[in-house]
Amino acid sequence: VVVAVVLIVWLLWQFLESFAGLHNYSDDTKADLVKRSSKLYESSTIDIGGRSRSLDYHWDCVQSMSYDFNLANGTMVEDRSRPMITAQEKAFRTKRCSQVKTSWFLVWITPFASLVYNAIIGAFCLINGVWLSLDDASKLEKALKHFMLMLAVLVLSMWVSASIA
């Protein structure tokens, strides 16, 4: 029941505009997530040409410019007085962009991940609590051990997937 309620609320949040706008994974949602993640971009620093600065989403992650920038009248312009960004600097910049993007994607997908997690636990409880008749304690103990093992594997796989991302 809880899984169905969470799924309905999540789907309403995704596709019902009166729920503070649409939140399906579109370009508008990505732009909103980038805007809300501005502190993550500010705290992610990169070193380019001996200068350490914060990551800028549009310059570094979207356009992936070959030169660093300077501000001219509040506008970012290529700074061709410095050397081009090296391949190593580009790779590090791409890695930083991916890390921040993964963070805001995980924030967006977390309700669905919790839905799947609750569905698995609910299915286990339904099968072992309602459909199976556990007349002796050894079967109950074995079922609980299997549940704890399954729960540990599930949490471990979630940790591994979040660590790899």
Side-chain angles (χ1 to χ4, degrees):
V1 174
V2 172
V3 172
V5 170
V6 172
L7 177 63
I8 289 169
V9 170
W10 191 69
L11 288 173
L12 288 173
W13 178 73
Q14 289 283 313
F15 299 107
L16 196 63
E17 194 159 348
S18 61
F19 236 110
L22 297 175
H23 297 98
N24 56 339
Y25 200 64
S26 64
D27 290 336
D28 292 338
T29 302
K30 291 176 190 176
D32 183 47
L33 289 167
V34 167
K35 186 175 103 177
R36 291 175 184 228
S37 303
S38 62
K39 297 243 186 241
L40 289 174
Y41 286 102
E42 288 172 16
S43 66
S44 296
T45 58
I46 54 175
D47 293 322
I48 295 180
R51 182 177 86 150
S52 181
R53 65 170 176 81
S54 294
L55 198 61
D56 182 83
Y57 174 73
H58 294 289
W59 189 270
D60 296 315
C61 302
V62 175
Q63 296 173 348
S64 192
M65 302 298 279
S66 297
Y67 289 91
D68 203 7
F69 67 86
N70 265 334
L71 291 177
N73 298 326
T75 305
M76 286 188 255
V77 293
E78 278 186 342
D79 185 2
R80 291 189 176 253
S81 65
R82 295 188 186 151
M84 286 182 68
I85 298 173
T86 65
Q88 185 180 17
E89 291 169 336
K90 280 184 182 181
F92 185 71
R93 178 177 68 178
T94 302
K95 180 181 176 185
R96 285 289 194 175
C97 288
S98 297
Q99 288 172 338
V100 175
K101 182 179 180 181
T102 299
S103 297
W104 53 254
F105 176 76
L106 287 174
V107 166
W108 179 83
I109 199 70
T110 296
F112 185 74
S114 68
L115 171 91
V116 171
Y117 184 75
N118 283 328
I120 291 170
I121 292 173
F124 180 84
C125 291
L126 178 69
I127 291 168
N128 284 309
V130 177
W131 292 343
L132 294 179
S133 72
L134 298 173
D135 296 332
D136 63 358
S138 65
K139 285 185 179 180
L140 178 62
E141 184 179 344
K142 184 177 178 182
L144 289 174
K145 284 181 182 177
H146 284 145
F147 174 70
M148 292 307 294
L149 180 64
M150 187 254 335
L151 191 62
V153 168
L154 184 65
V155 170
L156 179 66
S157 63
M158 291 169 75
W159 175 75
V160 167
S161 66
S163 297
I164 291 173

